[in-house]
Amino acid sequence: NAGVTQTPKFQVLKTGQSMTLQCAQDMNHEYMSWYRQDPGMGLRLIHYSVGAGITDQGEVPNGYNVSRSTTEDFPLRLLSAAPSQTSVYFCASSYLGTGGFDEQFFGPGTRLTVL
Amino acid sequence: LAKTTQPISMDSYEGQEVNITCSHNNIATNDYITWYQQFPSQGPRFIIQGYKTKVTNEVASLFIPADRKSSTLSLPRVSLSDTAVYYCLVGGSNDYKLSFGAGTTVTVRA
């Protein structure tokens, strides 16, 4: 299994540009999520999905869109990049457990710089 | 979601035991306690999860008192490679908006 993969690893954008961060998992996980991590801080949830066709907002959704057309893929779209979106972006996936929240598997991250 | 409080940083030396306590006073009946580890430039990695009493795996132990208002992650005989940020999360099966706080930065020195 490849686990959770993210592309690209690095990206530089100019203010106002749009782009899509790709995330894929091959573990047949129902739950997928996107986090951003700013320097020296914890991870903040942007959007999440509990299955194909179902998405919802997290803690910091403004400026980002997501869709979940398949179980495997969960792309994150930046609509009009701003310098405040400079961050490291992590995608994660997990099963939806019957008890506690199941173990989340994280991708390697995408380091985004907006000039 | 139950809010968690944990120390910002802890220092230790190789071979010592490191105990990180997380407070979660308003934990709900259905909530579990989960710990993650994050190395620089990597995504977090699951360490351990528990509901009550004690859980142990090959990496760590998790101690949860009867009132479940706190929990302690114990890392036995740490090495330099255990230097990382450790996050405490509390939530149940319907808590889709899991929150990673600032975590505890553990620095292990030789």
Side-chain angles (χ1 to χ4, degrees):
Chain A
N1 286 350
V4 179
T5 58
Q6 292 184 237
T7 56
K9 285 187 169 55
F10 301 93
Q11 183 69 48
V12 178
L13 293 177
K14 294 181 179 179
T15 297
Q17 287 184 316
S18 63
M19 79 158 296
T20 299
L21 307 185
Q22 301 292 343
C23 175
Q25 53 92 7
D26 60 359
M27 296 171 281
N28 203 31
H29 287 163
E30 302 96 337
Y31 183 89
M32 295 187 74
S33 57
W34 276 102
Y35 292 89
R36 62 174 288 175
Q37 185 171 35
D38 299 327
M41 301 187 64
L43 286 79
R44 291 185 292 171
L45 182 65
I46 304 172
H47 285 285
Y48 68 91
S49 169
V50 297
I54 306 170
T55 64
D56 204 348
Q57 296 180 349
E59 181 185 356
V60 288
N62 292 341
Y64 307 95
N65 272 356
V66 292
S67 60
R68 183 98 178 266
S69 56
T70 66
T71 300
E72 295 79 19
D73 301 300
F74 191 44
L76 178 72
R77 280 182 288 277
L78 278 70
L79 308 174
S80 177
S84 60
Q85 293 179 304
T86 294
S87 189
V88 180
Y89 291 83
F90 290 103
C91 179
S93 73
S94 73
Y95 290 113
L96 288 177
T98 55
F101 210 92
D102 221 332
E103 172 183 357
Q104 288 200 73
F105 293 83
F106 283 80
T110 294
R111 189 173 298 272
L112 175 69
T113 302
V114 182
L115 303 176
Chain B
L1 294 176
K3 183 176 179 178
T4 61
T5 302
Q6 52 183 121
I8 294 175
S9 64
M10 298 181 71
D11 289 342
S12 183
Y13 290 92
E14 283 190 295
Q16 290 188 335
E17 180 181 77
V18 172
N19 296 307
I20 310 170
T21 296
C22 178
S23 297
H24 29 80
N25 290 321
N26 58 340
I27 187 169
T29 303
N30 295 332
D31 287 345
Y32 281 64
I33 300 150
T34 310
W35 286 81
Y36 283 82
Q37 174 191 57
Q38 185 180 27
F39 298 116
S41 301
Q42 294 185 24
R45 183 183 70 158
F46 174 93
I47 301 177
I48 197 166
Q49 184 181 76
Y51 183 78
K52 61 180 179 180
T53 63
K54 176 183 175 182
V55 180
T56 297
N57 61 22
E58 66 277 6
V59 176
S61 294
L62 179 59
F63 299 91
I64 306 169
D67 66 5
R68 303 201 327 125
K69 293 184 183 299
S70 67
S71 59
T72 299
L73 176 73
S74 180
L75 306 173
R77 297 180 297 281
V78 295
S79 64
L80 297 176
S81 63
D82 292 314
T83 293
V85 180
Y86 293 82
Y87 298 96
C88 168
L89 281 73
V90 172
S93 56
N94 293 325
D95 287 330
Y96 303 135
K97 297 184 179 183
L98 288 178
S99 174
F100 288 74
T104 299
T105 299
V106 172
T107 303
V108 181
R109 306 180 193 281

